[in-house]
Amino acid sequence: DAGVTQSPTHLIKTRGQQVTLRCSPKSGHDTVSWYQQALGQGPQFIFQYYEEEERQRGNFPDRFSGHQFPNYSSELNVNALLLGDSALYLCASSPPPGSGAEQFFGPGTRLTVL
Amino acid sequence: AQSVTQLDSHVSVSEGTPVLLRCNYSSSYSPSLFWYVQHPNKGLQLLLKYTSAATLVKGINGFEAEFKKSETSFHLTKPSAHMSDAAEYFCVVRETDSWGKLQFGAGTQVVVTP
C-alpha cells in the first residue's frame, strides 16, 4: 500500500498564476481533505471531498477550488496566486465521514509564490 | 466552535528524561482528540487518538495522553525521551458531528539533547 501520495513535491510559481496540486488517497479510502500549512504554523483545513462533492469548507476564499474524480483522487486548484499562498499543502484521506477513522496524511506539496 | 491551544511552542529535553506537551481544547460537543507528529520533510503521523473510550490513551513509540474533561486538557507524555523524538507535535480536535474537519493547534517543537 503506497499510502497517500501527492504531486508534485515542490513547485515555484509567480504572483497571479494558477496552480493545480494532485492527491491519490490511501487504498480503501474515499474521502479526501486538503490542508494548508504556512511556515511555523499548524495545518489549516481548506475543504473536504466525498462522493465527488465538496462536503465541508474552511475559511478560504473562492480562489481555492477542488475536484474529486470517480477513482477518489483529488485536485486542489488555486487561482490568482498571492505571496501569502506560499505554504505546504497537505492532502489527507480517510474512510467515509462519520466512520470515526483517523485521517492519513501525504507528504505534502511545497508551493513557493514569488 | 472548536479550538486547540498548545501551551508551549518549544520544549527542550535531555535524552532519557520525561517529555510533557500540554494541550487545552475548546469544543461545543464531545470531541475526538488526536496527537500528530511531523518530522522534517515528512508527512503527519498519528501518535494516538481519544474517542470517548478510556481517558488514558496509549499510542505509538511509548507516548500516551490523558483526557481530562474537567480541565479540558489532553496532555501528551513520554517517560523517557529518545533522540528520534525530535519533531513538531500537533494537538488536534475533531467534532463528533463533523464531516471530518480537523482543527490543529499551532504546534510544539521538541528538541532532544544528548
Side-chain angles (χ1 to χ4, degrees):
Chain A
D1 182 8
V4 181
T5 60
Q6 293 185 242
S7 62
T9 305
H10 298 83
L11 74 166
I12 300 174
K13 294 285 187 178
T14 57
R15 283 178 294 174
Q17 285 189 312
Q18 178 264 344
V19 68
T20 297
L21 311 182
R22 296 176 176 81
C23 171
S24 292
K26 181 179 170 63
S27 177
H29 289 180
D30 56 10
T31 302
V32 174
S33 302
W34 286 92
Y35 295 80
Q36 179 195 66
Q37 185 178 15
L39 195 63
Q41 298 181 21
Q44 299 290 316
F45 176 78
I46 303 175
F47 43 53
Q48 182 183 73
Y49 277 83
Y50 172 64
E51 293 186 334
E52 302 180 49
E53 291 188 15
E54 183 182 296
R55 298 291 180 169
Q56 197 171 15
R57 188 179 182 93
N59 188 26
F60 279 81
D62 292 344
R63 297 187 298 109
F64 289 77
S65 63
H67 187 77
Q68 186 178 34
F69 299 94
N71 66 353
Y72 310 125
S73 66
S74 176
E75 289 182 348
L76 164 65
N77 301 292
V78 186
N79 295 322
L81 285 168
L82 304 174
L83 295 179
D85 295 332
S86 294
L88 179 68
Y89 288 85
L90 297 165
C91 171
S93 74
S94 59
S99 67
E102 66 267 23
Q103 296 180 16
F104 287 79
F105 284 81
T109 294
R110 174 75 63 187
L111 172 64
T112 302
V113 182
L114 301 177
Chain B
Q2 56 188 14
S3 67
V4 175
T5 302
Q6 292 184 243
L7 301 175
D8 307 289
S9 59
H10 289 82
V11 168
S12 182
V13 298
S14 299
E15 190 176 19
T17 64
V19 181
L20 169 65
L21 305 184
R22 298 181 295 164
C23 173
N24 287 344
Y25 71 92
S26 171
S27 175
S28 304
Y29 305 99
S30 299
S32 295
L33 293 162
F34 309 80
W35 277 97
Y36 280 85
V37 61
Q38 187 175 38
H39 288 93
N41 301 316
K42 291 191 176 181
L44 290 158
Q45 181 185 21
L46 180 69
L47 281 177
L48 50 81
K49 64 178 179 180
Y50 166 78
T51 55
S52 75
T55 56
L56 184 62
V57 182
K58 294 188 182 299
I60 61 172
N61 300 335
F63 285 95
E64 65 179 35
E66 185 172 8
F67 174 73
K68 292 187 176 181
K69 187 174 182 178
S70 60
E71 300 177 9
T72 61
S73 69
F74 190 57
H75 301 336
L76 181 70
T77 60
K78 183 173 180 178
S80 177
H82 190 271
M83 296 298 291
S84 61
D85 294 328
E88 186 90 19
Y89 292 78
F90 293 97
C91 183
V92 183
V93 65
R94 182 185 72 196
E95 301 283 6
T96 53
D97 66 341
S98 167
W99 274 79
K101 172 184 176 181
L102 300 181
Q103 181 76 41
F104 283 76
T108 298
Q109 183 71 46
V110 172
V111 174
V112 183
T113 56

